Amino acid sequence: MNWIRIATCDSIPPREGRAAVIGGKQIAIFNLGDRFLAVDNQCPHQSGPLCDGIVAGDAVVCPLHAWKVNLETGAVARPADQEACVRTYETRVDEGVVSINL
Amino acid sequence: MKRLVVVGNGMAGVACVEQILKYDPTFDITIFGDETHVNYNRILLSSVLAGERSADEITLNTLEWYVRNNIQLRLGVRVVDVNSEDKTVTGDDGSVTPYDALLIATGSSAFKPPIEGLDKENVFAFRTLDDTRELLLRARPGVKAVVIGGGLLGLEAARGLQVQGCDVTVVHLMSTLMERQLDPDGGNYLTGKMEDLGVRVLLRRSTTAIVGDERAEGVALEDGTVLEADLVIVAAGIRPNVELAYKAGVRVNRGIVVNDFMETSDPDIFAVGECVEHRGICYGLVAPLLEQGKVLAATITGNKGPEYTGTLLATKLKIMGVDVFSAGDWSEQHADPVRFEDRALGVYKKLTIRDNKLVGAILVGDTSDSHRYMDWLRSGVDLSEKRSHLLFPPPASDAGLDIAEMSDNATVCGCVGVTKSAIIHAIHDRGVCTLSQLKETTRASTGCGSCTSLCQNILRAVAPDFEEDGKKVLCSCVPFSQDNLREILRGQRLKSVQDVLDIYGNGKGCEVCKPALSYMLDMIWCGDHDEDRSARFINDRVHANIQKDGTFSVVPRIRGGVTSPAELRRIADVAEKYNVPMVKITGSQRIDLLGVKKEDLPKVWADLGMPSGQAYTKGVRMVKTCVGTDFCRFGTQDSTSAGIEMERRFEHLFTPHKVKMASVGCPRNCAEATVKDIGLVGQEGGWQVVVGGAAGKAVRKADLLVTVETTEQALEAAELFFQYYREQANYLERTYDFVERVGIDKVRKETVYAPESVKQALLDRLKKSKAASRDAWLEGQTPVNPTQFIPLRPIERVLS
């Protein structure tokens, strides 16, 4: 287990995402209101920044070509039948700070 | 093969030929036309004059049609003689053409009243496409036009010229306008309407002479008044063209006399259209001509049988902002009148009832019920049970009743001649379920368009899968049409996207509905809504355009494309300081800095010291300008200042889709204003304001909204359209789709020709939105949240 404290919860507005740069790697963390979800900040399609996408329920829509990625599973929800998926990370909140498990 | 010669290439003659081809395509047909155009829709000349349609758009039969049907077309040739012994016709080019059957469809010409000086320059009739073109060449703001004659044609000409910016006076001999179609009260209402629109009306005035040397300079009236005039239009009625029939020796009264089979007194000569007199009546409207054509086609092809027994006279005035309908016998001598009038609304309705049957109707100001009355007139239905709501349609719950009560052979589209049963046939047998499919299949509502709502109602009542054109739900998250949603947001006073999604949707939303709802809320509440950035696309969260590598492009506002050395230096310094990989001149007279990192955006904006150009959003992009009068030797208007002012008035506002504008100082159109969402086209003495143009994914020439004299009037017209588009268009609907869907007629009626109070309300809402808007780049200094532009830096690394 390698938990890393990232930021206070209020640095990510509800239903938005932010990129965190951790050792040269970008992870997108989303505030879904009742929980935080984290995935690699790279769309499997053409590496678009998922943190900048519009959140649709528990999925995010990539701002470049509207691929839809499920934030719980990392699976591509649109277009259909894509093998590709993004890596997901565990998150937790302690005393108002959100951490992810690398 | 039987040789058929048709004299006259107008609507009546050609429509009859179309019918003949259906019976017998083997005729050897020659058509003579003294005009040089293929057959066009003469009823729509008024809309060409008003700039609503181009000449090409009113073509009814293309050259290919004539070729495809093996018709010899002789355009620009006037037939001057007929020899009914030898059965030949002689053209003014000396040609002699033999016939087996001769069809005279010479129509009518403008009546020339006994007025001196009708032969002067700048005196025109309003009958043909050539007349219309001549008028369009001369009509411009400030030109003083006098129309002699206050009948249907005169009023259509007057309104068309007025829309082109002319200062128009109608001189009418009688005491009320359109006295052949309207009773004195109806005429007075019409006068009020015309005057409200800015057309001066002089009644009971007789014109004695056109004054001036070679060109008309004025119109002299009997009472001694001389009206100044740069342009004179004579619309004092029409006369059937019967000279040829005289020469052929067939029987002629006022028109060429025909019987119920459309035969003349000569067994090989037939006649149809406005030149014909049937049972003592000469018709000057389109529906009778089409009916006559059908009967004649049967007779001439040896299928004699169908009879023409006359047509119920009905007239609709086709001018923008003035709705007039008249049908049947509206005199009160042997009938009971039923009336309604409302001076404030300008609505006058009168029906005449005899023996519980409708015999006549007059509608001014509101003609929405005209089809109902036409049907009652035609069918002679007993009205005893309807007496309590003769003047108003039955309550909404009975909307289908009207359709059910229409008889099957009732004409729905008078221009093309489509009956209710033809439409129902199309719905059931061809699977038609939208208005556009109906137009495609039956051609209904492709003429003057006045039957559109009736067609819609029939579709709604009959088609099982009826679909309103262009009315789709926004998305599955909030399954309502955008029209509907706007109503909901207003009515329920909803101010945040999440509230709308929670109450009317699935609570989640997506990339389709969230930006759309964000737009609607901002527009409806004029900026006084709960802005939720999570519902905006990334471009609208960081006010820059995301690129394929996740960097952004920065386009500062350079109003009207006019910059300065100091500004250019700052832009150059910024580009160097932030290692901007590409600096590009855009197609919109602006400068684009491409490849800027998100976290650098606030610093770049601060160093530029210029406002956002909104190049990343569905909002006001820019106004492209030419150099206008400042430097150009051809410029007639200060298009640069006008463009910069327009940009200032609209900048920072959101719109349903991007809005690109232009302002040009002369019709050379160097900044391409006629293919922009809104264009100002300067000309000598004024501006044309054009809307709905496109030169991107689609290419479309903009429609004329209005012609005005001053720059302020042009800007106000642009403001009216701009706000109307903001309020009425669907999200992601460009102006060119919007104008096409709604129709420029309606757009004009509801903007520049709307009542003063409506215009003021549009302008007030625009003003309110503008006051609440601000330069988005100011958020560089005061971000809406601390991480708006910067990524998260992990607080610490903990091992557990």
Side-chain angles (χ1 to χ4, degrees), chain B residues 120-416:
Chain B
K120 292 196 198 307
E121 268 178 51
N122 284 0
V123 179
F124 296 96
F126 179 49
R127 280 294 292 165
T128 64
L129 198 49
D130 284 337
D131 292 337
T132 311
R133 284 189 172 141
E134 294 291 337
L135 292 176
L136 278 174
L137 275 178
R138 289 163 176 80
R140 61 172 58 91
V143 164
K144 293 187 174 56
V146 173
V147 178
I148 301 172
L152 194 68
L153 269 183
L155 296 179
E156 288 184 356
R159 178 62 166 149
L161 291 169
Q162 192 247 345
V163 168
Q164 296 293 341
C166 297
D167 186 1
V168 185
T169 306
V170 174
V171 181
H172 193 47
L173 187 62
M174 310 304 282
S175 56
T176 55
L177 293 175
M178 284 180 71
E179 75 285 345
R180 291 180 58 195
Q181 289 88 14
L182 299 178
D183 63 356
D185 286 333
N188 289 337
Y189 269 87
L190 177 56
T191 305
K193 289 257 166 201
M194 294 304 290
E195 283 176 340
D196 282 349
L197 291 169
V199 173
R200 195 169 155 218
V201 179
L202 299 178
L203 299 168
R204 291 184 211 86
R205 306 291 175 95
S206 154
T207 308
T208 51
I210 314 291
V211 296
D213 293 333
E214 289 190 357
R215 20 173 320 135
E217 287 165 16
V219 171
L221 307 183
E222 204 175 33
D223 61 9
T225 325
V226 177
L227 304 168
E228 239 186 285
D230 309 307
L231 196 55
V232 179
I233 294 83
V234 182
I238 53 173
R239 287 288 175 270
N241 291 326
V242 294
E243 303 79 18
L244 209 58
Y246 267 126
K247 289 180 180 166
V250 302
R251 199 176 145 220
V252 174
N253 283 340
R254 185 162 181 268
I256 304 165
V257 178
V258 296
N259 63 16
D260 289 359
F261 299 107
M262 303 304 296
E263 294 163 320
T264 67
S265 58
D266 180 317
D268 298 317
I269 299 181
F270 306 86
V272 70
E274 289 184 338
C275 57
V276 155
E277 177 180 322
H278 173 265
R279 298 191 184 180
I281 301 176
C282 295
Y283 294 95
L285 301 163
V286 73
L289 316 186
L290 298 179
E291 286 177 42
Q292 291 176 354
K294 283 182 188 168
V295 171
L296 178 52
T299 305
I300 217 167
T301 53
N303 296 288
K304 193 164 161 179
E307 291 178 37
Y308 178 69
T309 54
T311 307
L312 184 73
L313 277 179
T315 310
K316 252 190 175 181
L317 188 59
K318 286 168 302 302
I319 67 183
M320 201 193 326
V322 188
D323 297 320
V324 173
F325 169 79
S326 158
D329 173 10
W330 39 261
S331 72
E332 295 170 26
Q333 281 167 342
H334 308 287
D336 297 327
V338 181
R339 294 166 194 279
F340 168 82
E341 59 183 308
D342 184 325
R343 284 195 187 280
L345 289 177
V347 174
Y348 174 79
K349 302 181 180 188
K350 180 172 101 173
L351 305 182
T352 42
I353 314 281
R354 191 185 305 146
D355 303 331
N356 270 325
K357 286 178 183 167
L358 185 67
V359 290
I362 287 176
L363 306 172
V364 181
D366 173 11
T367 55
S368 51
D369 284 333
S370 58
H371 278 283
R372 203 157 72 113
Y373 300 142
M374 271 311 277
D375 197 36
W376 290 354
L377 282 165
R378 285 205 186 96
S379 63
V381 66
D382 185 285
L383 296 175
S384 9
E385 288 185 10
K386 296 192 172 71
R387 287 299 289 242
S388 59
H389 49 76
L390 287 178
L391 282 169
F392 298 95
S397 58
D398 295 334
L401 254 181
D402 241 17
I403 303 295
E405 282 180 4
M406 268 179 84
S407 58
D408 273 358
N409 51 16
T411 302
V412 174
C413 174
C415 295
V416 186

Side-chain angles (χ1 to χ4, degrees), chain B residues 447-632:
Chain B
C448 72
S450 63
C451 63
T452 307
S453 66
L454 182 61
C455 289
Q456 288 266 30
N457 288 342
I458 297 179
L459 280 164
R460 200 173 282 126
V462 179
D465 303 316
F466 171 69
E467 233 181 81
E468 204 96 41
D469 275 322
K471 258 199 191 156
K472 294 190 218 110
V473 298
L474 175 56
C475 83
S476 56
C477 305
V478 261
F480 297 91
S481 73
Q482 296 200 34
D483 279 351
N484 214 331
L485 278 169
R486 286 191 289 267
E487 279 312 305
I488 290 173
L489 304 192
R490 269 197 200 97
Q492 302 303 313
R493 305 197 66 76
L494 292 167
K495 293 202 170 183
S496 88
V497 172
Q498 199 53 44
D499 282 352
V500 181
L501 290 170
D502 287 341
I503 301 169
Y504 290 94
N506 63 4
K508 296 176 183 165
C510 70
E511 83 286 0
V512 175
C513 56
K514 281 181 167 183
L517 291 169
S518 296
Y519 170 74
M520 287 181 206
L521 288 167
D522 174 79
M523 177 277 291
I524 287 171
W525 302 114
C526 299
D528 183 24
H529 63 293
D530 301 331
E531 172 71 16
D532 175 0
R533 287 294 163 79
S534 76
R536 297 272 190 190
F537 187 57
I538 184 64
N539 288 8
D540 283 312
R541 295 185 195 168
V542 299
H543 315 301
N545 197 357
I546 193 164
Q547 305 295 310
K548 62 186 284 190
D549 60 355
T551 63
F552 291 85
S553 81
V554 171
V555 181
R557 194 163 285 292
I558 300 181
R559 296 183 190 97
V562 178
T563 180
S564 67
E567 211 166 62
L568 289 172
R569 246 177 234 122
R570 285 206 304 278
I571 294 171
D573 289 344
V574 165
E576 281 182 354
K577 182 171 169 189
Y578 296 94
N579 296 316
V580 171
M582 182 185 262
V583 182
K584 189 173 183 314
I585 307 285
T586 73
S588 299
Q589 299 183 339
R590 310 207 281 188
I591 294 174
D592 195 351
L593 305 174
L594 291 132
V596 179
K597 290 192 206 72
K598 194 200 274 178
E599 52 266 45
D600 286 340
L601 289 171
K603 291 175 279 181
V604 166
W605 298 336
D607 288 355
L608 283 172
M610 298 164 75
S612 160
Q614 287 179 289
Y616 45 81
T617 191
K618 310 303 175 210
V620 173
R621 292 295 172 87
M622 82 305 160
V623 182
K624 197 167 175 172
T625 68
C626 69
V627 289
T629 44
D630 273 0
F631 288 92
C632 181

Side-chain angles (χ1 to χ4, degrees), chain A residues 14-64:
Chain A
R15 300 180 298 278
E16 286 191 37
R18 289 290 182 268
V21 186
I22 304 165
K25 181 183 168 79
Q26 287 204 9
I27 294 175
I29 306 172
F30 294 88
N31 177 356
L32 295 202
D34 54 353
R35 64 199 193 281
F36 288 82
L37 294 174
V39 298
D40 273 341
N41 190 28
Q42 273 202 341
C43 179
H45 177 219
Q46 290 186 9
S47 306
L50 292 177
C51 69
D52 287 340
I54 287 179
V55 171
D58 57 4
V60 67
V61 179
C62 177
L64 294 194

